[in-house]
Amino acid sequence: THKWDAGKVTKKATTTAFGTKTYTCSVCGETKTEKIKKVNPITVKAKTKTLKAKSLKKKAATVARKDVLAVSKAQGTVTYKKASGNKKITVAKNGKVTVKKGLKKGTYKIKVKVSAAGNKTYSAKTKTVTFTIKVK
């Protein structure tokens, strides 16, 4: 029976090409290869959204994901998770941003982890970006 090692990446995967991982048997020296999924080409650009303090006195504001994050080339389902920032600003799994009532004037930076799940061809990938909410 073979006793395969942990394997070694012999060709790195890229966004356009599969990679290769080679395993070696410690008993007989035989090798086997495994295909590594392509790198997820997701790109994420953060934006700034300005809200009026006057309107936040009365009610919470909802900000569409596209108004604070430009996501493209993602392979697989994309999810969002707030990593840090003001507790009055929340980010839903679908990327919708809610600014709770009463947030005072100022500039707020919100760090978000944007994850693309990948698929049969592409691996999963997470990018962390920081968008800005300005309250005037």
Side-chain angles (χ1 to χ4, degrees):
T1 52
H2 292 293
K3 206 170 189 177
W4 301 108
D5 64 9
K8 188 169 127 185
V9 175
T10 47
K11 181 182 171 209
K12 273 190 166 181
T14 66
T15 55
T16 56
F18 289 98
T20 308
K21 190 171 191 177
T22 303
Y23 298 88
T24 305
C25 173
S26 61
V27 178
C28 69
E30 188 178 321
T31 61
K32 69 175 183 175
T33 60
E34 184 179 88
K35 189 159 67 169
I36 301 170
K37 290 181 178 184
K38 292 179 186 178
V39 175
N40 204 312
I42 183 174
T43 62
V44 184
K45 288 193 177 111
K47 300 180 187 180
T48 298
K49 176 70 177 170
T50 303
L51 301 170
K52 294 197 184 320
K54 191 173 158 184
S55 64
L56 285 170
K57 281 182 183 174
K58 296 179 186 129
K59 62 179 182 153
T62 301
V63 178
R65 190 239 350 121
K66 66 179 178 52
D67 291 340
V68 289
L69 296 169
V71 179
S72 60
K73 298 181 185 166
Q75 301 295 315
T77 304
V78 179
T79 54
Y80 305 83
K81 185 176 169 70
K82 180 177 164 184
S84 66
N86 188 290
K87 64 184 177 191
K88 286 196 175 213
I89 301 171
T90 60
V91 180
K93 197 174 180 182
N94 66 1
K96 186 174 83 174
V97 177
T98 303
V99 180
K100 293 190 174 134
K101 182 169 102 168
L103 189 65
K104 294 183 175 21
K105 288 182 181 181
T107 300
Y108 302 92
K109 297 210 173 279
I110 306 301
K111 189 184 273 190
V112 180
K113 289 183 178 187
V114 182
S115 300
N119 52 32
K120 288 179 181 172
T121 306
Y122 292 93
S123 60
K125 188 165 186 177
T126 299
K127 294 230 174 190
T128 303
V129 295
T130 303
F131 67 82
T132 304
I133 298 281
K134 280 188 180 173
V135 180
K136 288 186 170 181

